[in-house]
Amino acid sequence: MTKDGRPSLITDIRLFAGQSSNSHSYLDGQEEAVAFGRRIAWLLNSEGFSLGAFPALYVLFTPSLAPGLVRVTNDGGDWWQRFVHVGVAADFRNGPDAHGIVTRGIVEALVAARPDQVQLIRRAETTVRVHGEGLRFLLKRRDVAKMLVEISFNIAAWPKQSHLFIAHIEKATGIYREADPIALGTYFEGFDLVSGIRLVDAANLKEVHLRPTMSNVVKRRG
C-alpha cells in the first residue's frame, strides 16, 4: 500500500518451486520464463494493475496441488508478497514443456488473483509473447520543441544484458531515431539512470523504420 493509502502497482513476479510457501526455493533453469514474468509485470504496471497492498506476486509451482490447479493464498512472511500456488507434476522441470507450464502458470496466477482483470491480463500476455525481449518499457517521455524524447528499457533473459534506449520522434514527420543502446547491469538500473539523462546524451541517433512496441509509463512506486 502506498503512503497515501492507494493500492500498490505490481512491480515484480517471482517464481518458486517447492511444497509450500514456507518450504521452497527459487525456480532455477527457467531464465526465459523469469524474464516473461518480469515483462508481464511491468507491462501491467504501466496499465495501472494492482494486487492491492502487494507489489510482488510470488508464484509457487508445487506438486502438493493437482496439476493445473491454482490457489490464491494468504501465505507469505512479508507485507509485499502475494503468494499464489500452481499445481504441477513433481518432475515438471524435466519435461519438454517446462517453459510453457511456467509461463501459463504465471498468467493463471495473475487471473486467479485478479479475475476482474482477465481481459487486461490476456492482452498483456499476448503482447509479451509476441514481442519478448523487443518490448520496451517507457520510463519518461518529454515534449521538447519539435520532437518527443522517449527513454525506455527492455528486459532480457539472464545472462543477456538489458538496455536503456533514448529515442527522438519528430512531431511533424513521425520519424523515429534512436541512439546506441546503453547496457544495464540489471533492467532495474534504468530507474536510477533516467533522471540524469540529458538531450546531449543522445548523440549519433539513427533512423529506425520499425518503431518498437512500447508500454505506457512504468512506475517504481505508486
Side-chain angles (χ1 to χ4, degrees):
M1 192 74 69
T2 58
K3 289 182 178 179
D4 62 4
R6 289 177 294 115
S8 300
L9 294 175
I10 190 171
T11 58
D12 198 9
I13 294 178
R14 299 192 182 190
L15 310 180
F16 302 89
Q19 290 295 323
S20 70
S21 301
N22 297 317
S23 177
H24 62 266
S25 59
Y26 278 105
L27 182 64
D28 56 12
Q30 287 291 328
E31 304 304 335
E32 286 291 344
V34 169
F36 174 92
R38 290 172 174 165
R39 292 166 190 154
I40 199 168
W42 284 106
L43 186 56
L44 289 170
N45 172 287
S46 78
E47 298 289 340
F49 182 89
S50 174
L51 297 170
F54 312 97
L57 177 67
Y58 281 26
V59 185
L60 175 67
F61 294 90
T62 176
S64 64
L65 293 179
L69 188 64
V70 179
R71 187 180 72 190
V72 179
T73 80
N74 292 318
D75 298 349
D78 295 295
W79 65 269
W80 64 84
Q81 303 169 0
R82 165 58 89 187
F83 260 101
V84 178
H85 295 183
V86 177
V88 291
D91 61 348
F92 81 100
R93 281 181 281 189
N94 298 323
D97 192 33
H99 173 80
I101 290 171
V102 175
T103 56
R104 290 192 298 271
I106 291 169
V107 174
E108 294 310 315
L110 286 163
V111 170
R114 287 297 307 271
D116 58 316
Q117 294 292 322
V118 61
Q119 291 184 333
L120 174 61
I121 294 165
R122 297 296 185 195
R123 287 198 302 270
E125 175 191 11
T126 298
T127 299
V128 170
R129 289 193 186 281
V130 169
H131 298 284
E133 186 179 330
L135 179 61
R136 303 281 180 83
F137 301 91
L138 183 61
L139 287 165
K140 181 184 286 188
R141 180 181 285 123
R142 292 177 57 191
D143 193 328
V144 182
K146 298 181 180 180
M147 73 177 96
L148 295 173
V149 180
E150 290 184 343
I151 303 172
S152 63
F153 65 93
N154 75 335
I155 298 176
W158 188 87
K160 296 174 69 176
Q161 283 187 296
S162 302
H163 289 85
L164 188 76
F165 302 89
I166 306 172
H168 292 178
I169 304 101
E170 291 184 5
K171 293 179 184 178
T173 64
I175 292 174
Y176 181 91
R177 293 186 175 89
E178 195 168 86
D180 290 337
I182 301 168
L184 298 173
T186 67
Y187 77 88
F188 212 74
E189 189 180 8
F191 287 95
D192 300 317
L193 296 177
V194 65
S195 61
I197 292 176
R198 304 162 299 168
L199 289 179
V200 293
D201 293 323
N204 302 316
L205 281 89
K206 302 180 181 70
E207 184 174 347
V208 177
H209 295 289
L210 184 60
R211 188 171 176 176
T213 298
M214 187 80 66
S215 75
N216 294 319
V217 175
V218 292
K219 298 178 181 179
R220 179 157 44 179
R221 299 179 185 87

